[in-house]
Amino acid sequence: MRKEKLNELKDLLNSLKVLKLEKVHEPNSFIKGEVYNCSLNNGKTIKREKLLKGNKDGSAVIILPIINDNEVILTVEPRVFTKRTVGVGLPAGFIEPNEKPINAALRELQEETGYTSDDLIYLGGFYQDMGCSSAYNRSFIALNCKKISEQNLDKDEHVKFFTCYYEEALELMKKGYIEGCNAIITLDRSKEYLLRRKKWSLIVKKKQKE
């Protein structure tokens, strides 16, 4: 990875590093749980707890934004309960009630980065945590990203964004800078699509020269 880009990322990580965690004794306002007795087809009954976020299941979208054909946008934000206390990932956010996932992806992309896209590619979905949640996340690639506004973050959101080559993003994942499952799954799923796209582009360019 380019030395100057790695130094830029390290500066962003340092700027959002958590210096102190202080436990607050107050009722949970966002994360809640429900308890269910579940009757199985084999006649057994099991008890399970279901996690809710903001009284919703917590389904989300994750977006890999691509600008200039080979540059991607990564996010850097506090992840206070991790070892580093700061996470490197991708723009992401919850799907609102009655909101289509593709609309949620465009909204979250613009809110967190100020960019938008006219070409979103759906990469598939996955459950966030099947043991205690019904949250179903969707991954997207956002092509032809253009900056149209400034960030529009919530009060407690502190999100910086960082651009690098796609190959450098994969390198950051291998080196342990990108550790969140949402970003890892989305980056892994993007490889096949972007490889096919690159091969197709090379074929088109070759035919144009002939």
Side-chain angles (χ1 to χ4, degrees):
M1 183 171 191
R2 290 169 292 170
K3 184 177 180 180
E4 66 273 16
K5 295 303 291 187
L6 188 56
N7 288 337
E8 180 186 345
L9 178 59
K10 287 179 177 179
D11 286 342
L12 289 175
L13 288 168
N14 186 59
S15 72
L16 294 175
K17 187 176 179 63
V18 175
L19 299 180
K20 181 180 179 181
L21 275 178
E22 183 177 353
K23 191 172 182 179
V24 180
H25 297 282
E26 62 181 42
N28 294 342
S29 58
F30 183 68
I31 298 177
K32 300 177 183 178
E34 296 176 337
V35 181
Y36 291 83
N37 286 323
C38 312
S39 301
L40 306 183
N41 194 42
N42 63 4
K44 303 292 185 180
T45 299
I46 58 176
K47 183 176 287 186
R48 291 291 185 268
E49 295 184 30
K50 181 181 179 181
L51 184 69
L52 298 176
K53 297 179 180 179
N55 292 318
K56 301 186 287 286
D57 69 1
S59 293
V61 290
I62 308 95
I63 310 101
L64 173 61
I66 298 181
I67 52 179
N68 302 328
D69 201 37
N70 191 43
E71 277 195 307
V72 301
I73 302 173
L74 304 179
T75 55
V76 181
E77 57 188 308
R79 295 298 188 215
V80 303
F81 301 116
T82 64
K83 186 175 181 180
R84 190 182 281 121
T85 75
V86 190
V88 181
L90 297 173
F94 296 120
I95 302 170
E96 298 297 334
N98 302 317
E99 186 179 30
K100 292 181 179 180
I102 193 168
N103 292 336
L106 288 170
R107 175 179 55 77
E108 288 292 343
L109 174 61
Q110 186 173 345
E111 287 177 359
E112 294 197 356
T113 69
Y115 282 78
T116 192
S117 167
D118 60 5
D119 191 0
L120 261 65
I121 308 299
Y122 180 53
L123 297 177
F126 59 94
Y127 282 99
Q128 175 76 36
D129 190 339
M130 296 176 74
C132 63
S133 172
S134 62
Y136 191 73
N137 295 352
R138 279 90 167 176
S139 296
F140 292 88
I141 296 177
L143 301 171
N144 308 320
C145 286
K146 307 292 184 186
K147 188 168 178 61
I148 61 169
S149 68
E150 300 302 316
Q151 290 174 297
N152 182 21
L153 303 175
D154 293 335
K155 177 184 175 183
D156 281 338
E157 279 189 305
H158 297 274
V159 181
K160 307 283 188 181
F161 61 89
F162 168 82
T163 63
C164 64
Y165 296 139
Y166 176 72
E167 292 79 6
E168 291 175 324
L170 298 181
E171 186 180 345
L172 288 171
M173 184 170 62
K174 289 180 181 179
K175 288 186 173 181
Y177 282 92
I178 298 174
E179 298 181 291
C181 65
N182 289 341
I184 289 173
I185 290 171
T186 301
L187 282 166
D188 273 339
R189 289 184 173 181
S190 72
K191 293 176 186 176
E192 184 179 356
Y193 174 82
L194 292 176
L195 181 60
R196 289 200 311 268
R197 179 183 172 87
K198 186 174 183 179
K199 286 182 177 178
W200 174 252
S201 178
L202 290 173
I203 290 170
V204 171
K205 287 179 181 178
K206 183 178 178 182
K207 286 185 176 180
Q208 288 174 344
K209 289 181 179 179
E210 292 175 351

